[in-house]
Amino acid sequence: MIQLKRSDYELMLEHARKNLPEEACGLIAGTIEGEDKIIKKVYLLENMDHSNEHFSLNPKEQLLAVKDMRANGFQALGNWHSHPESPSRPSDEDKRLAYDSKASYMILSLMEAENPVLNSFHIEKNESTKEELIIN
């Protein structure tokens, strides 16, 4: 299970809407307690590709985020990105680029503007499994 604070969800949503029509992206960090991942901080990063179909994290911002994680005692838990025009599920490219089987891959769909959908996935060997996500 993954736990995300409502305020962090709102930050992600705001960043995603601000970056339309491009995909927005970032990292998630926190703690692991047993089987549960507790997200303590969401990082909002620049999509270097400036595309509505794929993203690349800004490497300088990514390095700063990793330094901040270490300074706060957080673990890197995964990443997140938006799908401006498609559902909240991994695309073939998302699966192909999922290099860390321990990471969570969160996808925020803005396909229906008034009804955004956030899901989290475990991706391994090109197969995705939806993870239980609690927003509180």
Side-chain angles (χ1 to χ4, degrees):
M1 172 182 37
I2 299 180
Q3 294 182 31
L4 176 68
K5 291 184 292 226
R6 169 90 29 207
S7 58
D8 285 335
Y9 167 75
E10 296 294 334
L11 279 174
M12 294 165 67
L13 185 57
E14 181 182 334
H15 186 64
R17 286 179 170 154
K18 186 176 85 174
N19 282 277
L20 285 170
E22 300 173 1
E23 286 191 0
C25 57
L27 297 172
I28 55 174
T31 58
I32 298 175
E33 299 174 16
E35 296 288 314
D36 298 343
K37 294 180 179 179
I38 315 299
I39 298 173
K40 302 284 189 180
K41 190 163 185 179
V42 170
Y43 297 88
L44 312 176
L45 305 182
E46 176 191 6
N47 176 356
M48 296 287 290
D49 295 337
H50 299 286
S51 168
N52 66 337
E53 295 181 345
H54 51 88
F55 73 98
S56 294
L57 300 170
N58 178 312
K60 289 180 183 175
E61 293 176 350
Q62 191 173 5
L63 180 60
L64 289 173
V66 170
K67 286 181 178 181
D68 185 75
M69 289 176 204
R70 289 180 183 151
N72 286 291
F74 299 150
Q75 291 181 260
L77 299 178
N79 67 51
W80 72 272
H81 71 280
S82 63
H83 280 184
E85 302 160 357
S86 59
S88 175
R89 64 175 179 249
S91 66
D92 288 341
E93 182 174 320
D94 292 335
K95 291 177 191 175
R96 185 174 54 79
L97 296 175
Y99 62 91
D100 184 355
S101 64
K102 293 182 178 128
S104 291
Y105 296 89
M106 300 179 87
I107 300 172
L108 176 59
S109 173
L110 300 175
M111 191 169 76
E112 294 180 35
E114 297 305 312
N115 194 21
V117 176
L118 178 66
N119 286 307
S120 185
F121 299 89
H122 171 260
I123 303 174
E124 189 169 357
K125 297 181 183 169
N126 214 29
E127 295 293 322
S128 67
T129 307
K130 193 171 171 182
E131 299 176 313
E132 182 181 2
L133 174 63
I134 305 293
I135 301 173
N136 51 21

